[in-house]
Amino acid sequence: MLSLTHIKALNIEMSSLCIGKCPFCSRNQKVRPYGSHMITLADFKKLPMELIRQLKWISFAGNFGDLSTNREMVEIAGYIKGLNHNMVLGGDTNGSVRDEKWWARLGTFFKDGNMVFSVDGLSDTHALHRIGTDYNKIIRNISAFTGSGGVAHWKFIVFRHNEHQIAQAAQKAEEIGCKRFFVIPSRDYGNAFERPEQFDFHIKREVFQTYDEKAVDLNASATCKPFDNGSLYLAADGTVHPCCFAHCMYITEHNALFDFLPPLAEKYYDRINFKTTPLAEILTGPYFNEILIKSKTNAYCRMKCNPFRKTVKKELVLVDQAFN
């Protein structure tokens, strides 16, 4: 049985909103309604203080929304660091919402962790994929973030239309204070978004499949995240899940291998919301207990959370540069 004392890390979707209209985003695969949701400071304070004080890291990533659309993000980061100054904060954003002053304030809380800014090209190519975002505004926001001490990483998703700009983008990343620049492939390619020519690579689902076959050969089972490394996923609507895959699967039902999850989440959805139910009660409840049992033999869980998952992540990085 899972308890609060097991939990050492959180992955939190601070908002379900995003101004970007990226073609391959999970936002385009919804089969259930998932409207405008936000985790407010008042919501966040419903999490036990003893939990915040024992956590090692929090990542503000999420499946469907961008952290910068949460109007209380700076205040929440400040609240967290006030309770646990050793906390490492991370995040993932398109960086195209809010102004430089806001990003400078947020940067003061990200000196130990890092914020990943998704910038897929330069001024003439970035918005071809990151539709609806503003390259020049993003550059100003990153500069403000790093200028206040925030650690920024530039993530560049490569396509044929921007592969010629990688070196120039890396140079720009260093100029605006990023500590890292890295290139990864898109989760998919097609239509106007062609595969780059200068790299020989497999896309994410193909890499996962390759290592899943190795896991099968080794008779390796899934290692469910809350029970393996003490992490939880909190969605913007307040629901609590063992991982981002579980929440994404419930909203999108994108993989038949994970077919046990949607009916399970549907059954307990009203009982797994930390905004209305104590987190300790959720963790000891039937949703997490049933997932633990089913995940041990589920093919999707094995593919996503086998012993090779860190290797998969490394293999997806095509270019990786660090700056002083």
Side-chain angles (χ1 to χ4, degrees):
M1 183 177 291
L2 192 63
S3 70
L4 279 178
T5 57
H6 285 93
I7 307 306
K8 304 302 178 186
L10 299 176
N11 181 2
I12 308 178
E13 179 187 57
M14 294 303 296
S15 168
S16 66
L17 307 177
C18 183
I19 67 167
K21 297 177 177 62
C22 306
F24 305 116
C25 181
S26 297
R27 296 174 64 84
N28 303 323
Q29 299 177 316
K30 296 174 188 174
V31 297
R32 284 183 175 80
Y34 190 61
S36 300
H37 301 287
M38 204 84 66
I39 294 178
T40 66
L41 179 58
D43 293 330
F44 205 92
K45 288 182 176 180
K46 293 178 182 179
L47 295 172
M49 284 188 180
E50 62 267 28
L51 171 67
I52 304 302
R53 292 188 174 114
Q54 77 188 25
L55 293 176
K56 295 182 178 180
W57 59 264
I58 293 179
S59 173
F60 300 105
N63 289 319
F64 302 104
D66 194 290
L67 62 89
S68 63
T69 63
N70 187 315
R71 58 187 172 272
E72 295 186 301
M73 182 67 223
V74 173
E75 289 72 21
I76 291 170
Y79 170 75
I80 294 167
K81 294 293 276 190
L83 289 176
N84 183 348
H85 69 275
N86 293 318
M87 173 81 70
V88 174
L89 299 182
D92 200 315
T93 179
N94 62 44
S96 196
V97 179
R98 310 297 171 189
D99 59 17
E100 295 162 66
K101 183 178 178 180
W102 188 90
W103 281 102
R105 290 172 60 210
L106 188 63
T108 63
F109 302 114
F110 283 76
K111 296 179 180 180
D112 303 318
N114 69 79
M115 182 71 71
V116 177
F117 289 85
S118 299
V119 192
D120 303 334
L122 299 175
S123 59
D124 59 333
T125 59
H126 165 74
L128 295 177
H129 176 239
R130 300 277 170 183
I131 300 168
T133 66
D134 184 331
Y135 171 85
N136 292 310
K137 183 177 182 179
I138 296 166
I139 296 302
R140 293 194 299 270
N141 287 342
I142 295 175
S143 297
F145 183 85
T146 60
S148 67
V151 176
H153 294 180
W154 178 321
K155 179 175 72 176
F156 185 115
I157 296 181
V158 64
F159 299 92
R160 190 170 301 179
H161 67 254
N162 64 12
E163 63 180 325
H164 64 289
Q165 297 176 323
I166 289 174
Q168 192 175 349
Q171 182 180 357
K172 188 67 176 178
E174 185 175 18
E175 288 175 3
I176 61 176
C178 293
K179 296 298 184 182
R180 183 189 179 203
F181 171 86
F182 66 102
V183 177
I184 63 171
S186 172
R187 67 170 57 177
D188 231 326
Y189 290 96
N191 299 323
F193 301 95
E194 298 180 90
R195 291 175 67 103
E197 296 180 316
Q198 65 175 287
F199 297 101
D200 182 18
F201 64 90
H202 295 286
I203 59 177
K204 183 183 292 186
R205 64 173 174 270
E206 295 169 343
V207 177
F208 269 116
Q209 184 60 46
T210 297
Y211 282 98
D212 181 52
E213 291 168 1
K214 293 182 180 181
V216 171
D217 291 340
L218 294 175
N219 198 29
S221 60
T223 52
C224 194
K225 288 186 174 182
F227 306 93
D228 180 48
N229 65 9
S231 68
L232 291 176
Y233 181 83
L234 276 57
D237 64 355
T239 55
V240 183
H241 305 271
C243 62
C244 65
F245 302 122
H247 176 244
C248 189
M249 182 63 188
Y250 175 69
I251 301 298
T252 66
E253 291 200 40
H254 61 274
N255 196 307
L257 294 176
F258 208 17
D259 58 356
F260 82 84
L261 192 284
L264 197 60
E266 184 77 34
K267 181 178 180 181
Y268 296 115
Y269 216 71
D270 293 337
R271 297 163 58 183
I272 58 173
N273 193 312
F274 82 90
K275 298 179 183 181
T276 56
T277 303
L279 183 60
E281 186 178 321
I282 295 172
L283 298 184
T284 57
Y287 179 63
F288 273 84
N289 288 332
E290 291 185 36
I291 283 177
L292 172 61
I293 294 170
K294 294 180 181 296
S295 67
K296 291 179 179 178
T297 56
N298 179 259
Y300 187 85
C301 292
R302 184 194 63 229
M303 180 172 65
K304 292 293 185 179
C305 290
N306 64 49
F308 300 107
R309 65 175 182 263
K310 291 184 179 179
T311 304
V312 170
K313 190 174 182 178
K314 290 179 181 178
E315 191 164 310
L316 289 170
V317 177
L318 306 176
V319 175
D320 202 346
Q321 291 182 247
F323 311 113
N324 294 326

